[in-house]
Amino acid sequence: MENKNYLLQLFIAGIFLLLSGTLLNAAEKPFVVVIDAGHGGKDPGAIGKVIKEKTINLAVALKLGALISANHSDTRVVYTRKNDVFVELDERAAIANRAKADLFISIHTNAARTRSARGTETYTLGLARSEENLEVAKRENSAILLEDNYQEKYEGFDPNSTESYIIFEFIHNKHLEQSIDLASGIQKEFCNTAKRTDRGVRQAGFLVLRKTSMPSVLVELGYISNTEEEKYLASANGQQTLANSIYKAFRSLKRSYDKRNGVSVSSESKTPTEEILINKGKNTVTENKKTGTDKTIYKIQILTSDKKLSSNDRRFKGHKNISFYNEKGLYKYTIGESSDFQEISRLRKKILPDFKDAFVIRFVNGEKQN
């Protein structure tokens, strides 16, 4: 009898250890986001006058990944490509599935026969309800024509045949609601942060999204066929601002995810914020070359308004010594002022309970640095 009890105790202990290990592993599992830079290698994507789509996509993807890695210690960033190589469409989805990703973001650049077409749009998987959306899907899916045995691999799918897209009408996407939420957030930030023309959230049949088993979106950053937009898309500042916009939408989704899963302490790194990360990377070398006469001041931006607010406005939540600067017709309000980045970062931590979206900005000789 004693032997039986002893064996039973060992069995129960073993089950307990197994379950404990499983729960521990689940708790420690990082949030995984896969960033897919569309096209690459022998597939240039859309071609502009001064730059190719594949180059824009990769630049923005890497900048986005850097922002997420720098600000979210519990998030693992996986790239489908980190350099100029060709990756097949089904392999991009497979990378996300193998990584057990929680999110998939595919980054692309648009083109149109009409040179005046401009703006950003973000897609989720579904049947294209307009000819315009269908044309975008055809162009992006045509990358499979560069793959070996694409007809067999994609079960006879012809990216240039409208009839082939009927398959997307019968796809049940259990992650559609979350995908739409992320797409909406990205479009909101493209409008608010990057000041781009908002072409909305759309649906179309993209092969790269078809086999992903997590919330997924495909982003069109702008029109390379538009001379003005191509110049913006080719610039380091434009690429960084677009990456920053996608990052802010990701940050909002991640906060909701943490709340749903009972994460009480924010996993976001307190410093650097995305704006400071951008500015440090952009301007530090230049400043070191100067003579030392430039004055750098850091402030904390807490809110934006389209009209001037009184000093006792309830939105300031009782805080005093509020300053503001005007940018593109908007009043942007700040707290604190210091030449010491660490000091202003400590102040930001103190006010975060009142202003959860507060971030650090930098001025050089009185001029805000973008």
Side-chain angles (χ1 to χ4, degrees), residues 147-204:
E147 300 180 22
D148 295 330
N149 302 319
Y150 77 89
Q151 289 180 318
E152 180 179 346
K153 188 186 303 181
Y154 297 97
E155 301 168 340
F157 183 90
D158 180 357
N160 296 316
S161 169
T162 302
E163 288 73 23
S164 287
Y165 289 83
I166 195 67
I167 62 171
F168 293 99
E169 185 171 12
F170 306 105
I171 289 178
H172 174 67
N173 186 356
K174 65 179 180 180
H175 302 292
L176 181 60
E177 184 176 345
Q178 292 170 286
S179 299
I180 291 175
D181 286 345
L182 176 60
S184 300
I186 291 173
Q187 284 302 120
K188 176 183 176 182
E189 293 300 338
F190 277 153
C191 183
N192 294 342
T193 300
K195 311 302 180 188
R196 312 313 293 166
T197 300
D198 179 12
R199 295 175 61 89
V201 174
R202 306 182 176 207
Q203 283 189 316

Side-chain angles (χ1 to χ4, degrees), residues 63-75 77 240 244 247-248 250-251 254-255 258 266-278 348 359:
K63 286 174 168 61
L64 171 61
L67 288 170
I68 294 173
S69 295
N71 288 283
H72 295 267
S73 59
D74 71 336
T75 299
V77 177
Q240 188 67 73
N244 192 32
Y247 166 70
K248 286 183 176 181
F250 164 83
R251 180 178 64 184
K254 183 62 167 57
R255 284 173 178 168
D258 288 344
S266 174
S267 61
E268 294 178 50
S269 303
K270 299 303 181 183
T271 55
T273 63
E274 65 273 15
E275 287 80 7
I276 289 300
L277 179 69
I278 294 167
R348 175 179 173 270
F359 58 91

Side-chain angles (χ1 to χ4, degrees), residues 4 45 48 122 164 182 190 196 227 246 251 257 321 333:
K4 288 184 178 179
T122 303
S164 287
L182 176 60
F190 277 153
R196 312 313 293 166
T227 302
I246 302 172
R251 180 178 64 184
Y257 175 90
N321 302 318
Y333 290 87

Side-chain angles (χ1 to χ4, degrees), residues 38 40 44 51-60 81 84 239:
I51 197 169
K52 296 175 181 177
E53 177 186 355
K54 65 176 183 178
T55 305
I56 298 169
N57 299 344
L58 181 60
V60 173
R81 67 181 182 97
D84 187 19
Q239 293 165 1

Side-chain angles (χ1 to χ4, degrees), residues 10 27 33 37 65 70 72 108 110 119 130 192 220 237 254 259 304:
L10 282 178
V33 54
H72 295 267
H108 291 259
N110 222 332
S130 72
N192 294 342
E220 294 284 1
N237 181 64
K254 183 62 167 57
K259 187 175 181 180
T304 298

Side-chain angles (χ1 to χ4, degrees), residues 29 34 45 54 64 93 112 180 192 212 222 265 285 306 313 321 323 328 333 335 359:
K29 178 188 177 299
V34 172
K54 65 176 183 178
L64 171 61
I180 291 175
N192 294 342
T212 55
V265 180
V285 175
D306 58 359
D313 191 283
N321 302 318
S323 301
K328 296 182 179 179
Y333 290 87
I335 290 178
F359 58 91

